[in-house]
Amino acid sequence: MSLISRFGTLFGLLAIIALFSILSPTGFAQPSNLINITQQMALLAIVALGVVFVMAVSEFDLSIGAIVSMAGITSVYLFGQGWGIVPTIAVTLAAGFAVGCVNGLVVSAWRVPSFIMTLAMGTIIGGFTFWLSAGATLFGNIPLAFRDLGRGYLAGIPVPTLWALGAVLFVTLMLDWTELGRRMLALGGNREAARLTGVPVVPTTIKAFGLCSAMAAAAGLLLTAKLGSAHPTGGNGFLLQAYAAVYLGITAFRDGQPSAAGTLLGTAIIAVVANGLTILGIPNYMQDVLTGLIIIASVLVRNVGSRAR
């Protein structure tokens, strides 16, 4: 049972892939489709990997979906004002990071529950995004060079997949090889003990929220580049799926703590299920039901394995 507890998420992914391969050998079980899955999961992976930072300090950020939308609308708006690609990307990422820092400051310095603070911030950001876009989809004046950031292939690999792999590397290095990452994990493990050992609680929490929001903004930029447009609610669907991905992989490689590799694994499960059910012609509402059941089953299996161990 300890093997199930330790590698249950990975076994679950392999079982799902095997099932869909049997049910649709000519549709699902093709190399081109597997490459397509990596492209489909790339943006969700980037958002979920940002969530790893706030979950590392045992907090939540419910504003990430709104930040994804804000980043897309902001970038298209700035392009319409004649801004170049580099300053537009820089300002959009900085805006996302700043929103996260405000969240982290209020949560850590004034001890406002992160659930309440980020839910309120998400509402504020959503209102700002609707005001900036007048509630409409923006699609004009987007440079072709910017759109190339979210499209095409490089050495046979989809460009979004490469961005996701870069995000995995970034989060892994931050958590495992930097003092900031170790402080985040220490806070998540025992906040009071970490404070007593000299971990600066407020600055560390602020940076965790800032990085989370910046990665959500990056995903919003890439989503806009991929679609060639931005919608004021385009990022709403990322919120629950991002947390589901982190939770699915939270014990895959590091017991009890969020990790980049585990989150990538959780994201892959969600993407494989969605892709496989679409190929089988399952209606969207049933896809949501089955995805939820898979998440519940994975949690139950892990908990059973943990108790046995």
Side-chain angles (χ1 to χ4, degrees):
M1 296 300 291
S2 62
L3 189 63
I4 295 177
S5 175
R6 186 65 176 172
F7 300 105
T9 307
L10 177 59
F11 292 155
L13 174 60
L14 295 176
I16 293 170
I17 292 175
L19 176 62
F20 283 130
S21 297
I22 294 172
L23 294 176
S24 180
T26 60
F28 180 86
Q30 297 296 322
S32 59
N33 185 55
L34 296 179
I35 293 176
N36 184 48
I37 290 174
T38 68
Q39 182 173 220
Q40 292 172 348
M41 65 182 275
L43 299 184
L44 175 59
I46 293 172
V47 178
L49 287 163
V51 170
V52 168
F53 289 118
V54 292
M55 291 197 69
V57 296
S58 294
E59 300 289 359
F60 293 92
D61 188 345
L62 302 184
S63 67
I64 54 174
I67 292 174
V68 172
S69 302
M70 179 196 73
I73 292 295
T74 300
S75 63
V76 180
Y77 176 82
L78 293 178
F79 285 138
Q81 299 301 308
W83 286 48
I85 294 176
V86 173
T88 294
I89 292 176
V91 168
T92 303
L93 292 178
F97 184 77
V99 170
C101 288
V102 172
N103 284 334
L105 175 63
V106 175
V107 168
S108 58
W110 287 284
R111 301 308 300 154
V112 175
S114 57
F115 181 93
I116 295 175
M117 177 59 199
T118 58
L119 182 62
M121 181 61 78
T123 304
I124 294 170
I125 294 299
F128 167 78
T129 303
F130 264 92
W131 169 77
L132 192 63
S133 65
T137 299
L138 302 184
F139 53 85
N141 304 306
I142 301 177
L144 290 177
F146 177 77
R147 297 177 68 174
D148 288 340
L149 296 175
R151 299 179 175 184
Y153 292 79
L154 183 62
I157 302 175
V159 171
T161 302
L162 295 175
W163 286 116
L165 292 176
V168 172
L169 179 61
F170 171 71
V171 176
T172 299
L173 292 175
M174 286 294 297
L175 287 182
D176 294 344
W177 296 94
T178 68
E179 182 67 23
L180 176 60
R182 289 189 286 270
R183 288 174 176 176
M184 290 180 187
L185 294 173
L187 282 180
N190 190 316
R191 178 176 295 270
E192 184 60 20
R195 184 186 67 81
L196 292 174
T197 57
V199 173
V201 175
V202 174
T204 301
T205 305
I206 290 174
K207 291 171 184 175
F209 275 90
L211 288 170
C212 175
S213 296
M215 292 190 68
L221 288 169
L222 292 173
L223 178 64
T224 301
K226 178 181 178 180
L227 299 178
S229 63
H231 191 274
T233 60
N236 290 359
F238 287 98
L239 176 60
L240 294 181
Q241 287 195 335
Y243 279 95
V246 177
Y247 193 68
L248 277 169
I250 205 167
T251 60
F253 299 103
R254 181 185 293 147
D255 193 18
Q257 294 179 330
S259 66
T263 298
L264 184 65
L265 197 57
T267 306
I269 290 177
I270 294 174
V272 166
V273 169
N275 179 270
L277 293 178
T278 299
I279 288 177
L280 294 176
I282 305 298
N284 287 336
Y285 68 88
M286 282 303 300
Q287 293 183 28
D288 294 337
V289 172
L290 292 175
T291 300
L293 290 174
I294 288 172
I295 293 172
I296 293 173
S298 68
V299 172
L300 291 176
V301 169
R302 186 177 65 237
N303 286 346
V304 169
S306 297
R307 285 197 297 268
R309 184 175 56 185

